[in-house]
Amino acid sequence: MAMPARSDEPALSFWLGYAEREGALVEDHGDHALVLLTDPLREQSELPEEVTVTSHPDIAREDGTVLLIAGHPAVERAAGSVLAEGDTGSAYLPWPTSRPPSRSILESRAREQVPIEHGRIDAAGEPIAAYLPLLRVGAMVSYAASLTLRFQEQEEVWVDARTGLAPGERMLAGARDRARVARPDGHGRKLGADLSLAIPAAHEQLERRAAAREGSLVVHARRALGSELARADVYYEATLESIARRRASAPPDRARLLDAQAEATRAEHARRSREIEDEYRPRHEIRPFRLHLVHLPAFVLPVDVRRGSQAFRFELTWVAAGGEFVSVRCPACGAAEPLVATRERLGCRACTAGTSARSPVAPVAPVAPAAAAQ
């Protein structure tokens, strides 16, 4: 049987990399490694100063060799230490060398990509170069559906750091695949991020993904739960039958004692059943470890949304990396809903419903790009 290399087992590879970063000496032999630990690492991992580690059970049978795989306390402690440090920062995508889009081209694309019910988009000024901040959040999600069904998965979500809305796939592909620089190398202004809005929105995305993943564990947990409950039922029913047999021939004072014992057994059975159900209830824990602001070259296009003689000033942001406009929130109520232009206002279906029955309100005031920039 071919032995796995160090890189074949993610947990072992991670721990060896962590140990080297913390000052340990690692002698890699492919299917196992000889590690000389520093005193802090030895205390943290609770391993000897000199230890041989492997991810293969056959090699681990040798004296003094440790089977280091996912779930081993040393791996869990190392992962906890890395997560506690966190990974934060900001970066920029290089400014494109291509010719900037013209006002007419962006106006045409805005009409194609940004649906506004009953309204027409007209460019109201020249495109303004800017950096759009995207928030990148990485997290480790721990799942548990029983005492044995436990695992971790890494998740990553991106949101527009101004609105909390998810960017399009083309935009994300451009943000992920391109090299980044530490400082802006273009002439664009940096649009302001609203982390109080973006972070909860990113967490909501993570929660939705985790809930869906957790739902897939329910079938496995239900099968194991039924088996465990059945074993408990057999045990307590046998105990109650034994008590009933003894009671049948017991004197009155002994019978009362056995009745109390039966009642206590039934209560214990109910308590144990609740405990088993709790043990097999799928759950998850999200532990964020990465928080990056990635600034994408973009162009802010001032537009007028027209309905008849009325015009409502608005702004759209076009991202060069994705060749598309970012999603927008309702300027009246902030909802992430399709926009509607009425005779009185620009909003979404919810906040413009019944506006014709109310007194006219002033058009939405324009937001100056300079005010949004930092």
Side-chain angles (χ1 to χ4, degrees), residues 67-87:
L67 182 65
L68 207 61
I69 57 177
H72 191 283
V75 176
E76 296 294 324
R77 294 188 190 103
S81 176
V82 171
L83 291 174
E85 291 177 10
D87 178 15

Side-chain angles (χ1 to χ4, degrees), residues 212-251:
R213 185 75 169 99
E214 190 176 281
S216 68
L217 302 177
V218 170
V219 175
H220 302 285
R222 188 181 297 124
R223 191 180 300 117
L225 170 63
S227 177
E228 191 68 21
L229 286 174
R231 282 195 291 269
D233 290 344
V234 169
Y235 171 78
Y236 286 104
E237 286 169 5
T239 302
L240 288 171
E241 288 174 3
S242 174
I243 294 173
R245 285 194 301 270
R246 284 179 284 155
R247 189 191 185 287
S249 58

Side-chain angles (χ1 to χ4, degrees), residues 305-328:
V305 178
R306 298 187 179 277
R307 177 169 180 175
S309 60
Q310 289 282 52
F312 308 98
R313 185 58 55 87
F314 197 52
E315 286 185 348
L316 300 173
T317 305
W318 185 83
V319 179
E324 60 185 0
F325 286 93
V326 299
S327 301
V328 296

Side-chain angles (χ1 to χ4, degrees), residues 119-136:
R120 188 189 74 185
I121 296 175
D122 290 338
E126 294 298 320
I128 302 166
Y131 281 100
L132 170 73
L134 292 187
L135 179 67
R136 177 193 182 198

Side-chain angles (χ1 to χ4, degrees), residues 33-56:
L34 179 63
V35 186
L36 184 62
L37 299 175
T38 62
D39 288 342
L41 265 179
R42 182 175 50 77
E43 293 177 4
Q44 181 203 65
S45 62
E46 296 183 358
L47 294 173
E49 181 180 5
E50 185 174 323
V51 61
T52 300
V53 294
T54 183
S55 61
H56 199 283

Side-chain angles (χ1 to χ4, degrees), residues 84-98:
E85 291 177 10
D87 178 15
T88 61
S90 63
Y92 295 78
L93 262 62
W95 197 263
T97 56
S98 58

Side-chain angles (χ1 to χ4, degrees), residues 1-2 95 111 130 138 215 249 264 292 333 337 367:
M1 178 184 294
W95 197 263
R111 290 173 178 174
S249 58
H292 288 174
C333 70
E337 298 291 339
V367 179

